[in-house]
Amino acid sequence: MAERAAGARSLLGDSSAGDSRLDDVSRECLFTEATSVAAEDVSQIRTKVVLLGKVQESEEVLNALETVQEMEVPLKKANEITPNSKLGHQFVRSLVKLEIELPFVKSETVEDFENENSEFGTVFVLGEFDSQPYDTLRKISTRILGPPVILRCARKGEPLPFTLRPLYCTCMLNLVLCFTGFKKDKLLTLVTLAHHMGATIRKEYTGKITHLVAHSTQSDKFRAAVSMGTPIMKAEWIFKAWEKRNEIDFHVADEAFRNEFKVPPFQDCVLTFLGFSKEELGSMEEMTEMQGGRHLPDVDETCTHLVIENSLKQLPFEPSKKIFVVKQEWFWGSIQMDARAGESMYLYEESGSPTLKTPVSMLSLNTPNSTRKRRRLRDTLAQFTRETDNLSPFPPCKRPSAETSVSLGSLLDVSNTPDSCGETPKSSLKTSKRYAAVPAKPSARWQVAMELYQTESNYVDILTTIIQIFKVPLENEGQLGGPILAQEEIKTIFGSIPDILDVHTKIKSDLEEIILNWSENHSIGGIIQNYSKDLMKIYPPFVNFFEMSKDTIGKCVKQKPRFHAFLKINQAKPECGRQSLAELLIRPVQRLPSVVLLLNDLWKHTANDNPDKVSLENAIEILKEVMTHINEDKRKTEGQRQIFDVVYEVDGCPANLLSSHRNLVQRVETVVLDDELCDRGEQVTLFLFNDCLEIARKRHKVISSFKSPHGQTRPPASLKHIVLMPLSQIKKVLDIKETEDCRSAFALLVRPPTEQSNLLFSFQLIVEEHKKDDWLKLLSRHVANTICKADAENIIFNTEPEILEVNTKDMDSTLSKASRAFKKTSKKLFCALSYFPTLL
């Protein structure tokens, strides 16, 4: 074992020595050279496979070897091996594929092969790499493979690979690893295991490294890996991979497995926070623990980082020189990039004196209100010319939350949907340097038109901020730490924002031309009419899915710390005006109602003989039509979402349930009272649609959550599909009389097209909020609509429970569960019909 340790240490001296692959040498070149090898050179090589120990009893391995049939064999080895020679460059000249000789050799021990000169034409298959046979084979420099390599080659139709090191499996194939911070003994173990799994090891960190395995976050290798976005892994990543070495399809680079063992951003860090509110402090302390760090209420000798809130200008004490005093951006940046950010870029510097915020312009961009006339009297010509160059999208009113800014119930209610209430992001576009000459006596019409242009300009700036600050960075898949969100999630959050920005940029440009060349007869209403089709196209998709967008943001914030950090970093930027992404995204929902208010005001201040009077009326009607269309489309969209929810909840639900004309009417929970659909007493859910009835039972075993390729996780299906029944197949709805032994029961008389006679399905309602009478009337009305009958009442029939042999008394008894299996009977329909002939 001492020789083995010494040999392994020598390999660490030149980290590229003896890679399990022919590193830095193209196999294509080797095979090209091999074609010129003399036939006699090949004929001298004997190829055989030796199965040692328990492997020889494995039928799976034997069958795989028969499938493989070939192995890679090296030719023309160097005559002399020196300690400093690179095996991949000097020891092997070329490779050829040769057929494996039969039969395979089986042996219990390795003693028979200790003196054999195999010329690398012999491959030993060994099931244990931590055993005496393995140590013996290593001394004689033989080729050793594990069973997973044999099985993988058979599956992929590849020959047995040539390796200069023992190769048990290939779950680390194509990976180049570098290590930092480990003691020699542990490093030796990790390197050996990584080689056994097909990895290449490098001593120095270079651009070829695919993964850094780190025990310390203080080294230069760690900082280099962070700057280059290289995944940084714990040692447990290798140990856990070795435990899974017999899984043929497993690879350590799989994202889900790799993420379990990444070094968290705050490993080895002890943080103290200063200047944050109680709510922020709790959130950041919780995030610190989630990201592998510790936190302290006060600074002590163990503290490594003091995180300062941005508004804090002076420190109340002098921290130790050993402590990193950093801005809060370091904290959120580390989480976003999924690795500890370099402190030098985020060091906190005290201000010489507290700086006051520059006061914003008092030119409010709020939606016009009852005080506009008084404000206009105060606004002089000098104020307009002086403040135009510094128009600020920050009004002085209090910022509302996205939750209460606007109600989505009806966009036609424009009385309480201000466009610019709250702080608006600073312009991310350069303010136009072209200014209109202010009329000597600004008319009321000009002032409203100017306000319309100003709000439109700020609205375009908001949309631009959303795109440039949030959407574009999220779509960058090359960012450090990998993509923050899946493309599907990004699309759900931002929707048609780019299209909305494109249209309103054009509207803003047209308004600007009118303001620059002002005339009372210029048509502002005509601008809105010119873009009516575009507005009708772009707004409904965004408004209808705004709630889904907001829900997706909330879910991603909770489930993805990097996204949470990304929002925190960008929310603090001046462009965002301290508003969250959800607060910014609600602006398109508010915009059209506010434009209607401004156009109404403009219409009031437009003379009757002005050609724009009629254009404004048409523009207002167009916007109201767009908002009406949004409301109607929103209701349809919500109906479609409900159907999708049913499809995801019901395992095996038929795909044809999804239809543009179909909507969910009601859902009721029941218990089956017969054995037609499933076992009596099972809980069954009825989904009533306008033209069909989906019947599903509760799953006995809930399957695990499904994760889409885009990263989104869906909840497991809780129901199992039984039947999707068109309402036209329901011939009668039976209202079973309420008795002491039968409560809340009803039945359906059904004639499926595949049956020669009617079937009877009986149920008991178990949810109190659905009254049986209301449910049966609702069901009958939709059955009547489906079969084009006006008299829905004639579909409902009253009957006695004894006639149908229906009893609900035992449904509430836990003692009856065991007896239900013995009470299965044949169909009761014929008996029922004999007592109730009117059903025929």
Side-chain angles (χ1 to χ4, degrees), residues 424-456:
T424 309
K426 289 184 180 178
S427 174
S428 56
L429 297 176
K430 293 184 178 180
T431 307
S432 174
K433 296 302 180 183
R434 303 167 62 199
Y435 303 118
V438 180
K441 292 183 179 180
S443 65
R445 173 176 162 83
W446 180 87
Q447 293 184 49
V448 179
M450 186 66 179
E451 189 166 8
L452 176 62
Y453 167 70
Q454 290 170 351
T455 57
E456 187 69 17

Side-chain angles (χ1 to χ4, degrees), residues 459 463 496 500 503-504 534-544 587-589 591-592 626 630:
Y459 180 55
L463 298 177
S496 58
I500 296 175
V503 172
H504 280 274
D534 295 322
L535 296 174
M536 185 74 75
K537 180 180 179 181
I538 62 178
Y539 269 96
F542 182 84
V543 177
N544 293 337
R587 295 307 179 88
V589 179
R591 182 57 186 165
L592 292 187
V626 173
I630 290 173

Side-chain angles (χ1 to χ4, degrees), residues 369-379 447 605:
N369 53 32
S370 60
T371 64
R372 178 186 291 132
K373 291 184 179 180
R374 292 194 297 272
R375 188 184 64 197
R376 286 174 182 162
L377 294 175
R378 293 196 306 269
D379 292 339
Q447 293 184 49
H605 295 90

Side-chain angles (χ1 to χ4, degrees), residues 147-368:
V149 177
I150 310 299
L151 299 177
R152 180 181 181 275
C153 290
R155 179 176 297 182
K156 293 184 173 293
E158 299 174 351
L160 298 184
F162 170 71
T163 63
L164 293 171
R165 283 200 180 93
L167 182 64
Y168 187 87
C169 64
T170 58
C171 66
M172 281 193 170
L173 198 63
N174 300 324
L175 300 190
V176 183
L177 309 185
C178 187
F179 294 83
T180 182
F182 294 97
K183 294 182 179 180
K184 287 187 177 181
D185 291 343
K186 188 170 185 179
L187 176 61
L188 185 60
T189 301
L190 292 171
V191 169
T192 301
L193 293 180
H195 279 147
H196 288 346
M197 293 183 282
T200 298
I201 311 299
R202 291 287 181 266
K203 183 178 181 180
E204 302 299 331
Y205 186 89
T206 67
K208 293 184 179 181
I209 302 300
T210 62
H211 296 77
L212 177 70
V213 185
H215 184 67
S216 170
T217 61
Q218 309 299 326
S219 67
D220 293 338
K221 291 180 180 179
F222 185 91
R223 297 260 59 89
V226 170
S227 64
M228 297 185 68
T230 303
I232 304 174
M233 313 303 299
K234 301 177 183 178
E236 288 75 10
W237 178 58
I238 294 178
F239 291 129
K240 190 65 177 180
W242 183 247
E243 292 178 9
K244 301 168 73 70
R245 61 189 180 275
N246 290 313
E247 299 180 17
I248 309 302
D249 296 322
F250 167 72
H251 197 278
V252 296
D254 292 342
E255 184 178 2
F257 179 79
R258 187 183 65 183
N259 289 342
E260 292 183 36
F261 303 99
K262 293 185 72 172
V263 173
F266 300 136
Q267 179 171 302
D268 302 334
C269 295
V270 181
L271 311 184
T272 297
F273 301 94
L274 185 62
F276 297 94
S277 66
K278 184 177 180 180
E279 182 180 356
E280 286 179 311
L281 182 62
S283 174
M284 296 176 81
E285 289 178 344
E286 181 181 358
M287 195 71 70
T288 299
E289 294 179 359
M290 290 175 55
Q291 301 300 321
R294 295 191 298 117
H295 58 84
L296 295 173
D298 300 303
V299 176
D300 64 13
E301 64 277 1
T302 64
C303 180
T304 61
H305 294 76
L306 178 61
V307 184
I308 308 298
E309 203 273 333
N310 288 343
S311 63
L312 193 64
K313 303 303 179 183
Q314 297 287 336
L315 294 180
F317 58 90
E318 185 69 25
S320 169
K321 300 296 183 182
K322 297 180 180 179
I323 298 176
F324 290 107
V325 183
V326 292
K327 304 173 186 177
Q328 68 183 59
E329 283 81 5
W330 171 84
F331 178 84
W332 296 115
S334 297
I335 297 176
Q336 178 184 329
M337 64 195 298
D338 204 19
R340 195 177 114 201
E343 290 82 2
S344 60
M345 297 176 58
Y346 302 94
L347 292 179
Y348 170 80
E349 295 180 359
E350 291 184 325
S351 301
S353 60
T355 57
L356 298 178
K357 293 183 178 179
T358 304
V360 298
S361 169
M362 293 304 295
L363 178 59
S364 174
L365 299 183
N366 285 347
T367 302

